[in-house]
Amino acid sequence: MAFHPRLATRRPHDAANISAKVLVCVGTEDPLISVAERLAFEEEMRAGGVDWRMNLYGGAQHSFTRPESELVGVAGLGYHQHSDERSWRAMLDLFDECLCEHGPPQPQ
């Protein structure tokens, strides 16, 4: 799971080794993650047979989950409250999905 990550990889074929579910949350206005980088990531996930999802948040820049990101004064960084809240819910949804698939821990 990743919030506003870089998606470029040096060894795309390694996606075949991913066994966990993958969640990536990206802002559409993030200057550090190009559309081409997103598409390449999608292809890597498909080729690797990974159970993945990518949520795109309209209007969100890089670091959209960090309220203090605008204080840095770097263009392209900015907090986006709605995307922060939505991405948090997406993370909780993924946790719920993963935990429910395996069921609650059994006492020993």
Side-chain angles (χ1 to χ4, degrees), residues 10-61:
R10 293 185 181 158
R11 299 184 334 207
H13 60 280
D14 281 352
N17 298 321
I18 298 172
S19 59
K21 295 175 186 270
V22 173
L23 167 65
V24 177
C25 298
V26 177
T28 61
E29 306 309 309
D30 187 334
L32 303 178
I33 305 171
S34 68
V35 172
E37 190 173 319
R38 290 195 320 241
L39 293 174
F41 176 82
E42 289 180 29
E43 183 52 38
E44 289 174 29
M45 295 296 102
R46 279 190 209 97
V50 179
D51 183 354
W52 68 281
R53 67 195 85 176
M54 180 186 306
N55 293 355
L56 299 177
Y57 298 95
Q61 300 180 70

Side-chain angles (χ1 to χ4, degrees), residues 40-86:
F41 176 82
E42 289 180 29
E43 183 52 38
E44 289 174 29
M45 295 296 102
R46 279 190 209 97
V50 179
D51 183 354
W52 68 281
R53 67 195 85 176
M54 180 186 306
N55 293 355
L56 299 177
Y57 298 95
Q61 300 180 70
H62 195 77
S63 296
F64 64 83
T65 61
R66 301 191 63 181
E68 69 280 1
S69 63
E70 294 171 355
L71 300 176
V72 176
V74 175
L77 301 184
Y79 180 66
H80 196 261
Q81 182 177 353
H82 294 300
S83 298
D84 182 15
E85 293 167 355
R86 290 172 179 157

